[in-house]
Amino acid sequence: MKFRQIFLFFAVITFFTANSQNLKMEEKAEYNPEETEKPEEGTNIKGNQNDDLTSNVILNLPLTDLKSITEISPFFRFQYSYDKHDGFSNESPNPKYFSITKEGLEINIYKGDKSHTKSSPTSPRSELAGQDVMGDIKDNKHYSISFSQFISKYPKDFEFCWIQLFGAHDPHVLVRFKYGTYEICARGLPCLKLPGHPSQEVGLWVDWKLDFNLAKTGGFISIFRNKVQLGSLRGNTSGENKSHFKHGIYTQGIHPPDTMTVYTKNLLFTLNKSEEDVPEPEPETEPETEPETEPETEPETEPETEPETEPKLGSEEGFFKHFQNFIYEIIYIIINLM
């Protein structure tokens, strides 16, 4: 009987020794600083991602310190008082009206100016009229046009337009100061009054952005100042699939009472990815996810737990595991013999 007790005592010691070795091996396997703390390459998406993934840049024109005014003429025609054109061309306009500076493109309009052509009944303007990419704006596409503007000289209460979208036959979108307030107008839709006044912006750089989709149904025009949306129009905003962008100083109602000077820079024209271009995965994902979740989760959990209990052959953990089983078998045989 004493021999059985002594033998059982040594068996228990052997059992706990083997288990302690297994626990050490498990702890070693659970935490490996070299494997768990080392960051994977290419996972820092935030530092490498493109902030403008959903848009395609059509034109990026800084308009600051260019070598020549002719760098603008491929994209715009210069419209200004017709009696000031002598000796100048569209590629090289009168520098009193348009000139390149370090601050940006300087645009002037003067008291006594006339319309941009002798036969035009319109009001005076010093304005860029889009051509090429700026003159081929289509319907049913989501565009954005942004730029920075600096008002240097402003005649008191002078009413003017500085953003136009000109359709196939006439201007159908205007952002202007008229009737003592800023407003955005689209042909066939009521004008929307906007906060602000040009006298409050003299001597300041202001970032303007026009976000729009010209369409007979579902069209919209949104105007932003310094990244804050001022207002939006929705409805029929179609330009009959042929519009161009105009920017500058376009007199509204009255002739300029004195000189007005503005600077503009950082003109950016983009074609944005519309919601129609984004695929709708709902019909495909619902039938696929249901059959995949059940067979994937159950088989994956079972094989993951089994390898943890079965030690690898030749490992230290495997040795102690087999040794422990061997001791159990010896104990069982001796007890039966006794």
Side-chain angles (χ1 to χ4, degrees), residues 310-328:
E310 290 293 330
K312 294 181 181 179
L313 294 176
S315 65
E316 185 178 355
E317 182 184 1
F319 170 77
F320 282 106
K321 186 70 176 177
H322 288 292
F323 179 72
Q324 182 179 356
N325 292 334
F326 174 74
I327 294 297
Y328 288 154

Side-chain angles (χ1 to χ4, degrees), residues 14 21 27 87 106 129 134 138 147 165 168-169 171 185 196 218 222 225 273 275 283 290 301 322 326 332:
T14 304
Q21 292 295 328
E27 289 176 1
E106 181 180 318
M134 302 303 297
K138 303 294 185 182
F147 57 88
L165 292 177
H169 306 290
C185 304
S222 296
R225 178 177 59 207
K273 188 174 183 180
E275 294 179 357
E290 290 180 0
T301 53
H322 288 292
F326 174 74
Y332 177 77

Side-chain angles (χ1 to χ4, degrees), residues 56-179:
N56 178 33
V57 176
I58 300 174
L59 178 64
N60 187 356
L61 196 59
L63 295 171
T64 52
D65 202 20
L66 300 179
K67 295 180 179 179
S68 171
I69 193 76
T70 58
E71 296 181 55
I72 301 175
S73 56
F75 312 107
F76 293 101
R77 302 185 310 276
F78 299 94
Q79 296 181 341
Y80 55 103
S81 186
Y82 73 84
D83 59 337
K84 306 297 182 182
H85 285 207
D86 291 345
F88 302 100
S89 65
N90 184 66
E91 289 74 23
S92 183
N94 191 330
K96 290 184 178 180
Y97 288 85
F98 301 94
S99 61
I100 296 296
T101 71
K102 291 183 179 180
E103 290 75 22
L105 175 65
E106 181 180 318
I107 305 174
N108 291 286
I109 195 169
Y110 302 96
K111 182 179 180 179
D113 276 352
K114 298 177 173 56
S115 60
H116 66 297
T117 64
K118 193 171 184 178
S119 59
S120 175
T122 59
S123 300
R125 87 282 299 278
S126 296
E127 198 172 32
L128 300 172
Q131 59 184 11
D132 192 53
V133 294
M134 302 303 297
D136 190 28
I137 299 174
K138 303 294 185 182
D139 280 11
N140 301 302
K141 291 183 179 293
H142 184 179
Y143 296 101
S144 291
I145 298 176
S146 61
F147 57 88
S148 299
Q149 181 173 271
F150 183 95
I151 300 177
S152 178
K153 295 180 182 179
Y154 172 68
K156 184 180 179 181
D157 299 328
F158 176 52
E159 297 181 342
F160 66 101
C161 170
W162 71 101
I163 298 176
Q164 280 191 70
L165 292 177
F166 200 98
H169 306 290
D170 56 6
H172 62 103
V173 176
L174 299 172
V175 183
R176 64 187 183 182
F177 176 71
K178 192 171 184 179
Y179 308 120

Side-chain angles (χ1 to χ4, degrees), residues 103 148-155 160 182 197-208 226 260-263 265:
E103 290 75 22
S148 299
Q149 181 173 271
F150 183 95
I151 300 177
S152 178
K153 295 180 182 179
Y154 172 68
F160 66 101
Y182 280 147
H197 194 282
S199 63
Q200 300 171 346
E201 295 165 1
V202 175
L204 299 174
W205 279 107
V206 177
D207 296 328
W208 292 99
N226 294 331
M260 180 175 181
T261 303
V262 299
Y263 294 87
K265 66 179 181 179

